[in-house]
Structures are given as C-alpha cells and as structure tokens.
Amino acid sequence: MTSSPFERAKQSILEEFEKLRSQIEPTEKEKSSISASHTKMRTMLENSTEVKTVDTFLTGSYARDTMIRPLKDVDFLVQVNSGHHQNDTPMQLLNKISRILRSAYPLTPISVTPPCITVKLSYCHLEVVPAIGFTDNEELFKIPTENGLGWQQTYPKIPTKWMTEENKQAGGLFKPTVKMLKRWRDVHKVPLRSFHLEMLVRMAFNAYKIKDYTDGAWAFFAKTDNLFELNKTQPFISEPNRKNVFVDQYLYVNLISLAIVKRFIKAHFAYAQKAFDYMQKGQIGLAKQVWAKIFGSGFYTSATLPPPFSSLSIQSPLTPPPTVFPSLLSGLLKRRIDGRDV
C-alpha cells in the first residue's frame, strides 16, 4: 500500500527524533560511573562512626530516568537515624557528612551548599542531601532548607513512581519526550526547572492522545501555552502531597523569567504548528528545519539541510508569530484545549 506524503514525511522526521533521543541519553559508561560513586559513598557513610545511616538512594531526574547529557546534578539522598541525630541542626548534619566525603575524595572539590553537599566529580556533580524519615509515613522526609537554618518536608520517591506509571500508560513515549524537551530547554536556556517541566509534560500527555514524539512535543507547547494564558499571575502546579506549596512558585516570583518562558512557549508552539503544516504537505526538508529550530542543530545533520533557514518566513523566538490551531492536529489529538483541561 502506497503511503501518503504526510506519512512519509512523518516517518522521516520520527527517525530524526529517535536520533536525537539516542544522542542525549546518558551512556552506559556514565551510568556505571554514577553507580560506582553511589556505592563508594554509601559504603563510606555506612562505615562511619560520625553518621548513622538508615538508607541511601539516588533521586531526582536521574532516578526518574529523565536526565540527559551532558550530565549535570545527580541527587543522592542520605537517610540518617532520627534518634541518633535528633539533636543535630541541619548545618551540623551537612558538615558531618561533608567531612566523610572529603576523606573519600581528598582531591575532589566539595562544598556545603544547603540543602546539599556538592561533590564535583569529573563527569557530573553529585548533590548529597541528608534526610530524616518519618515513622508514620515512609514516603515523607525532611531535608535542610536552602538557608540551612531549618527543615523542609519532601516526598522524593513519589515522582519516580508516577513517572514510571505515566511512561507505562504512554507506551514508553513519556520519558523520551521529557528528555527531548529538556534538550529544548537547555538549547534555548529557558529558565524552567526539571521537575516543573516534567509536570507540564505530564499535563500535556493527560490532555491529549499522544501517538508519537511529534504529537508529544506539539502537545507540550499547546497545553503549556494554554495553561499560562489561564494562570497569568498565580502558580498552578501543586507539589505532590503538599498543601499550598507549588512546583512553579519560583517562576511567578520572578516576572522576567516568567515572561521569557511564556514567550518561548508561544513562539515554539507556532513553530510546532508550522512543522505539522509542512509535514502534511510532504515537505520533509522544511519540516525538519522547523523542528531543528526548536530542538537545536543536533536534531539532524547538516548534510540533510534544505535551503538556508533564513528563507523561511518564521520570526525569532522572542517575537512569536500568531498561532492557529492546525486542522490536521484537530483530527489527530482527541481533546480540545480549553479551561476544562487545567
């Protein structure tokens, strides 16, 4: 059966998405290095007489399998015995753990930067966070505040669990889409925190029927643009299991960062729609060029470039063109963007 120009274009573009995914995936060597460092630190802490540990585990983007290359910060939580350390202040506990780590890594730069100790290894930074658990809730921990003067509550294991479930429900598309959108964020230096971005992608996947990476990328920009239109001045993404604490609070207290994020989202929503328009027409080269404008030069090789991008009538990210909901996506994606999807 002969495929349509759109189907041929989409297949070719999905191959480029897959190449991008493989480029940004942490290598087996990097994963082995992180595992070895975790094991070494855990052994040093378990053998210490200064700190009494209950458990240690990796958390954050690395544990959720959404970290991309180049590796940045890998979160490592150290649960200590609450009875043994009941009289320690957060800074005292941070300093005790840092002394142990300095003895294990005498030539490695190590600094106490609440709420963690930062160990600057050659391939990444390990952020070691002391934590105290609660006997009545195994998911809940308290960790130092960012000024080191007190404690704050956190649920580090819950995001890992829901991320795994989301990826399963999405047929394995969710985590790779998150990774590629982190690449988008890093390429354009968009001031979005990793967990915030992951939550936005989750909301997009819950709002639309996602069949492949192009759908996932478009849905992220479409849904996020809609959410920002509906929530102009107040944060709207709650921390898991925490009342009146918001994942996106940091953005709404910095109006410059908020404006930058909104403008990039709106501009790249328009780019994604333009890419689908080219795909529908079977214009593979132009569609790839627009996707590359979103994801950066690593999206596909220069050998496959069509005529210079400057020939396209698309404006810079900070001066977004008007957006029009594409008729093609109206059929592909089953739910409309409206206030009910918040």
Side-chain angles (χ1 to χ4, degrees), residues 7-76:
E7 290 170 333
R8 291 195 297 272
K10 192 163 192 178
Q11 181 58 41
S12 179
I13 288 161
L14 287 175
E15 290 172 3
E16 300 296 341
F17 270 93
E18 189 58 36
K19 290 177 187 176
L20 175 65
R21 185 201 63 76
S22 64
Q23 290 171 15
I24 62 179
E25 191 79 30
T27 65
E28 290 303 317
K29 182 179 180 181
E30 288 170 332
K31 292 177 182 178
S32 296
S33 296
I34 291 172
S35 178
S37 296
H38 175 213
T39 300
K40 180 179 179 178
M41 289 184 183
R42 182 180 63 220
T43 301
M44 290 292 296
L45 290 165
E46 287 175 347
N47 293 336
S48 170
T49 57
E50 191 171 11
V51 173
K52 187 174 180 60
T53 62
V54 175
D55 190 17
T56 67
F57 55 91
L58 296 170
T59 184
S61 294
Y62 184 81
R64 296 193 293 273
D65 191 26
T66 59
M67 180 166 282
I68 65 171
R69 303 178 66 207
L71 301 183
K72 296 179 182 176
D73 302 327
V74 176
D75 300 321
F76 174 25

Side-chain angles (χ1 to χ4, degrees), residues 244-306:
N244 301 319
V245 180
F246 295 90
V247 173
D248 51 345
Q249 179 69 47
Y250 74 98
L251 205 54
Y252 283 83
V253 297
N254 187 328
L255 296 182
I256 294 176
S257 292
L258 179 61
I260 291 171
V261 171
K262 286 182 175 181
R263 291 176 73 85
F264 268 103
I265 291 293
K266 188 170 290 293
H268 290 175
F269 177 24
Y271 292 165
Q273 293 186 98
K274 177 65 74 174
F276 264 90
D277 183 49
Y278 284 137
M279 286 162 56
Q280 187 177 24
K281 297 174 182 177
Q283 296 176 307
I284 299 174
L286 291 176
K288 287 183 178 181
Q289 206 167 11
V290 180
W291 283 118
K293 185 70 173 177
I294 295 173
F295 289 104
S297 58
F299 183 76
Y300 64 117
T301 62
S302 58
T304 66
L305 283 171

